[in-house]
Amino acid sequence: MRNLPPLTAIRAFESAARHGNFTRAAEELNMTQAAVSYQIRILEERIGVALFHRVKRRVELTDIGQRIAPRVTRAFDSLDDIFAMARADNDGVLTISCSHSFSFEWLAPRIGKFQLEHPDIAVRLDSTDQIADFASSDIDVAIRTSTGPWPDHASHFLMRTPIAPMASPDFVTRHPEVKSASDVLALPRLSPNDIWWNHWAVAQGVSPPAEKHGGIRLDSQIMDANAAIAGHGVAALNPALWQGEMARGALVRIHPGIAFEPRDYWLVYPDHKRRVPKIVAFRKWILAEFANEAKQDPEAFYRPA
């Protein structure tokens, strides 16, 4: 028979050690701070050694606490992985979190192919610009932009974030011919104070545009694109996401210059869930989709910087 301390006490210790704070552990475990402290005291009495130094209003792991805390965390991760795999047999829903623009313009038109390949997996898209919290939600995987791999998560590079000025063909015919980057910046621009305009201008070797007090200001790339399609101005857009509109002739790039936003697109999920079957299936599918895009990539959208 295993001589394990109470699981509640072990959970309290693992959370407090990971956060370095009893209050944050209490919030995570939906307990009071006093209850966390009590559970840790039970654990210390059970094993006969102190796990934390209590210094005024701070707590610090003792030497033995530092030695066992990573192992306890790995043990909980392993348990989570085991039960996640068990749930996968009955949980046929894959929940994907991604930004509105990526969801509507890239993923939604393609996700049907994934469903055809995996008819046993239902897909739910959680379109939000908020960062997914895997610990407190049912999100399985997320597609997010970041300056590098996400710590403590499995991270797979998908593509860079290119920026190009785009407008409707009708808008182009109604305005003077664009010959230079300065000509672009002189046109009516949508969301003229968006930082993307600065990125694009600097990449073309011209001064960033001065802040404007007028003009149309919109809250998302989708709104900017729709306004550009309607002929209301030039939008700074990610051309990798608007391929369909360009193919239909609804949007055109009005200048060949390109810039890259510092953040890239990544597929992200908790590292200890990398073997969950539905995550494995989605990972293989989306990486293959981006690999196909990279086969014809003259502007290096799909190659890391």
Side-chain angles (χ1 to χ4, degrees), residues 87-108:
R87 288 193 302 268
D89 290 336
N90 297 316
D91 183 7
V93 179
L94 176 72
T95 302
I96 306 166
S97 173
C98 55
S99 66
H100 294 298
S101 56
F102 188 90
S103 175
F104 297 149
E105 295 303 322
W106 195 96
L107 190 55

Side-chain angles (χ1 to χ4, degrees), residues 96-284:
I96 306 166
S97 173
C98 55
S99 66
H100 294 298
S101 56
F102 188 90
S103 175
F104 297 149
E105 295 303 322
W106 195 96
L107 190 55
R110 294 171 172 84
I111 197 64
K113 292 191 293 182
F114 174 77
Q115 297 249 250
L116 288 174
E117 294 176 18
H118 302 278
D120 54 326
I121 301 176
V123 174
R124 183 174 74 87
L125 296 184
D126 180 32
S127 299
T128 175
D129 291 326
Q130 301 298 315
I131 294 178
D133 182 357
F134 293 107
S136 61
S137 72
D138 61 354
I139 300 299
D140 294 303
V141 299
I143 297 162
R144 280 290 180 262
T145 55
S146 172
T147 55
W150 292 54
D152 303 321
H153 292 77
S155 305
H156 306 271
F157 172 84
L158 298 178
M159 71 174 179
R160 301 176 72 188
T161 306
I163 304 167
M166 302 173 70
S168 70
D170 177 67
F171 178 91
V172 173
T173 62
R174 290 186 284 107
H175 289 83
E177 182 182 0
V178 171
K179 296 181 179 180
S180 68
S182 296
D183 292 340
V184 173
L185 298 177
L187 293 170
R189 288 179 290 113
L190 299 165
S191 299
N193 297 326
D194 190 319
I195 190 64
W196 277 21
W197 283 115
N198 287 13
H199 291 322
W200 186 82
V202 170
Q204 312 318 309
V206 299
S207 298
E211 184 172 345
K212 293 186 66 173
H213 298 290
I216 300 175
R217 305 171 193 278
L218 300 166
D219 291 334
S220 73
Q221 190 175 165
I222 292 175
M223 291 182 181
D224 281 339
N226 286 332
I229 291 169
H232 297 313
V234 182
L237 300 174
N238 178 347
L241 299 185
W242 300 94
Q243 298 175 44
E245 285 71 16
M246 288 190 287
R248 292 194 297 271
L251 283 173
V252 295
R253 287 173 58 175
I254 65 172
H255 187 279
I258 199 79
F260 288 98
E261 212 260 352
R263 299 176 299 172
D264 301 325
Y265 280 84
W266 298 82
L267 170 67
V268 184
Y269 50 88
D271 187 68
H272 64 279
K273 294 186 177 181
R274 63 171 59 246
R275 293 189 298 276
V276 173
K278 61 184 177 181
I279 293 178
V280 171
F282 183 74
R283 179 180 68 229
K284 289 181 177 178

Side-chain angles (χ1 to χ4, degrees), residues 280-292:
V280 171
F282 183 74
R283 179 180 68 229
K284 289 181 177 178
W285 175 80
I286 196 169
L287 292 182
E289 287 291 307
F290 276 97
N292 286 333

